[in-house]
Amino acid sequence: MTKADLVNAMADKAGLSKADCEKALKAFTDVVTEALQAGDKVALVGFGTFSIGERAARTGQNPQTGKEIEIPASKVPKFKAGKALKDAVN
C-alpha cells in the first residue's frame, strides 16, 4: 500500500476529504519523527510502539573492493507491534 492508497483508504473509512486525511497523515508522521528525534517513545496502545535503537560501530567490508571499512555508530527507528495488531494479522 502506497501513501496515496493509505490516504484514500483513510478518507473512505473516516468520511473525510482526501486533503484532510493527507494533512492528518503528514501531521502524524511529523509528530512521531520529532518525538523520536527528542529520544522519546511513541506508544499507541493495541497498535504498537515507535522507539529508537542504538547500533554500535562495527567493521564492514566494501563489496566492490573487498576492503574493510569502519561503519560508525548510529541510531535507528524501531517499531514493535502491539498485541491487538498481532492478533488482527494472525
Side-chain angles (χ1 to χ4, degrees), residues 50-79:
F50 296 92
S51 62
I52 290 291
E54 302 281 336
R55 278 200 184 147
R58 61 196 188 278
T59 302
Q61 190 173 18
N62 183 333
Q64 290 181 337
T65 63
K67 285 185 166 182
E68 285 190 353
I69 57 172
E70 285 298 315
I71 302 171
S74 63
K75 294 179 181 177
V76 292
K78 297 188 325 185
F79 176 76

Side-chain angles (χ1 to χ4, degrees), residues 3 6-7 10 12 15 21 24 28-29 33 46 50 52-53 61 63-64 66-68 70 81-82 86:
K3 182 179 175 182
L6 180 58
V7 169
M10 288 171 54
D12 290 343
C21 288
F28 173 77
T29 57
T33 301
F50 296 92
I52 290 291
Q61 190 173 18
Q64 290 181 337
K67 285 185 166 182
E68 285 190 353
E70 285 298 315
K86 288 179 189 176

Side-chain angles (χ1 to χ4, degrees), residues 37-60:
Q37 286 173 337
D40 297 333
K41 285 184 181 179
V42 178
L44 303 172
V45 177
F47 183 72
T49 303
F50 296 92
S51 62
I52 290 291
E54 302 281 336
R55 278 200 184 147
R58 61 196 188 278
T59 302

Side-chain angles (χ1 to χ4, degrees), residues 24-40:
L25 182 59
K26 173 94 171 94
F28 173 77
T29 57
D30 289 347
V31 169
V32 170
T33 301
E34 290 168 6
L36 294 177
Q37 286 173 337
D40 297 333

